[in-house]
């Protein structure tokens, strides 16, 4: 489903953000990417989203080599991958419903399909009662739930989450994790970069640890680190 084959990324000559990375992620896995600041987590995510190109190596996503595809096909890839960010990135002038609907409009869904599907995903994230509110009327946890609804509304088979709990208090962070766990249970592959030690240690999922651009640990039921 996701494969990094000898992938390296050099932003400036001689400075490697990723060095010969080999990662294989199967359909339905829940994977944490951990590592200190500068380890290469964001670079890995940007390569998957085609926001950056690898300097060397090959990346396979949903059986497609995304390293050498034409620009024309990039929207097609992004459709099969949902993304959630630490800072939510909602459109401030659109309501909750409109924010989620917008993701469907972009791919050309009919208004009938939008009216059917948006309430379903808002109910999945427990926000049916906030459909007509604006983002600035919501708590951080609620805003993140909107961004998750937006990320899954087009039924992606992969969900990428970059520090999704980074701006949230511990209780709210767990609410978000329960939703992500449910999405994963329904079959969506999840790749989540995080600094949340407690969450990683309690969830007991696969952990890939990066250090200075290389994979230093890859464990099936892993922990955040071994320093405590
Ligand atoms: P993390 O997300 O784990 O903090 P990053 O992937 O952001 O790590 O960064 C990995 C390395 O690549 C760091 O040394 C960082 O300074 C460098 N880097 C990241 N983005 C750029 C960029 N756009 N230009 C130059 N160097 C970058």
């Amino acid at each position: 489903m996701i494969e990094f084959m000898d992938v390296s990324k050099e932003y400036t000559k001689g400075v490697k953000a990723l060095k010969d990375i080999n990662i294989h992620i199967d359909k339905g896995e829940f994977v944490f990417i951990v590592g200190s600041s500068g380890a290469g987590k964001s670079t890995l995510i940007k390569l998957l989203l085609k926001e950056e190109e690898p300097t060397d190596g090959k990346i396979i996503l949903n059986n497609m080599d995304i390293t050498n595809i034409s620009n024309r096909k990039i929207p097609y890839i992004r459709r099969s991958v949902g993304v959630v960010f630490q800072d939510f990135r909602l459109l401030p002038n659109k309501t909750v419903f409109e924010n989620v609907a917008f993701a469907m409009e972009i791919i050309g869904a009919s208004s009938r399909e939008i009216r059917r599907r948006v309430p379903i995903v808002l109910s999945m994230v427990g926000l049916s009662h906030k459909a007509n509110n604006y983002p600035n009327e919501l708590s951080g946890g609620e805003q993140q739930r909107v961004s998750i609804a937006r990320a899954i509304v087009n039924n992606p088979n992969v969900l990428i989450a970059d520090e999704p709990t980074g701006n949230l208090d511990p209780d709210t962070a767990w609410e978000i994790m329960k939703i992500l766990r449910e999405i994963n249970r329904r079959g969506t592959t999840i790749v989540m970069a995080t600094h949340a030690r407690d969450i990683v240690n309690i969830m007991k999922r696969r952990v890939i640890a990066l250090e200075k651009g290389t994979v230093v640990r890859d464990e099936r039921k892993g922990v955040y680190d071994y320093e405590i």
Side-chain angles (χ1 to χ4, degrees):
M1 141 125 324
I2 297 174
E3 191 148 14
F4 282 73
M5 300 164 81
D6 298 318
V7 171
S8 293
K9 174 65 183 177
E10 211 173 282
Y11 286 105
T12 43
K13 206 104 199 95
V15 189
K16 285 197 169 173
L18 291 176
K19 298 169 202 164
D20 291 327
I21 296 284
N22 285 286
I23 294 173
H24 178 104
I25 296 173
D26 281 323
K27 179 168 167 43
E29 282 199 77
F30 194 128
V31 184
F32 289 116
I33 310 289
V34 304
S36 51
S37 191
K41 304 181 296 299
S42 303
T43 300
L44 194 108
I45 284 174
K46 284 179 185 157
L47 292 177
L48 271 179
L49 299 175
K50 284 289 269 182
E51 285 175 17
E52 292 285 351
E53 297 295 326
T55 315
D56 277 302
K58 202 155 97 166
I59 300 169
I60 313 284
L61 179 62
N62 297 329
N63 299 318
M64 201 174 5
D65 183 346
I66 64 164
T67 339
N68 294 312
I69 57 158
S70 65
N71 288 343
R72 218 160 28 84
K73 287 195 179 145
I74 292 179
Y76 178 77
I77 296 173
R78 296 211 171 125
R79 198 172 304 184
S80 63
V81 181
V83 200
V84 174
F85 299 98
Q86 175 171 3
D87 55 0
F88 322 134
R89 304 199 190 175
L90 301 174
L91 298 166
N93 301 323
K94 288 186 186 288
T95 64
V96 166
F97 186 100
E98 289 163 353
N99 264 280
V100 179
F102 189 59
M104 293 186 75
E105 287 162 16
I106 285 174
I107 69 158
S110 68
S111 54
R112 186 159 165 271
E113 178 64 7
I114 291 172
R115 282 196 306 272
R116 190 192 72 82
R117 176 72 180 156
V118 175
I120 294 175
V121 289
L122 286 181
S123 139
M124 283 170 178
V125 300
L127 279 183
S128 302
H129 60 300
K130 302 275 179 171
N132 296 318
N133 287 88
Y134 287 87
N136 68 3
E137 299 169 331
L138 305 179
S139 68
E142 288 170 336
Q143 290 183 55
Q144 192 58 298
R145 284 190 272 151
V146 178
S147 103
I148 292 172
R150 176 180 61 185
I152 63 171
V153 74
N154 293 323
N155 262 319
N157 34 33
V158 179
L159 180 64
I160 310 275
D162 194 355
E163 295 266 10
T165 64
N167 284 343
L168 306 174
D169 64 73
D171 286 347
T172 310
W174 274 110
E175 285 170 21
I176 294 301
M177 292 314 298
K178 280 187 199 158
I179 293 171
L180 295 181
R181 193 166 58 188
E182 175 62 15
I183 291 169
N184 175 249
R185 198 184 59 74
R186 293 180 184 224
T188 307
T189 306
I190 298 193
V191 179
M192 169 171 161
T194 188
H195 283 119
R197 171 182 277 113
D198 290 350
I199 285 173
V200 173
N201 289 344
I202 291 169
M203 294 271 294
K204 299 188 176 64
R205 299 301 183 110
R206 181 172 174 190
V207 174
I208 297 175
L210 295 178
E211 223 172 81
K212 294 181 184 146
T214 61
V215 175
V216 292
R217 201 149 51 79
D218 184 349
E219 294 169 335
R220 220 166 63 79
K221 290 186 178 175
V223 292
Y224 187 84
D225 57 22
Y226 289 103
E227 270 153 38
I228 309 170

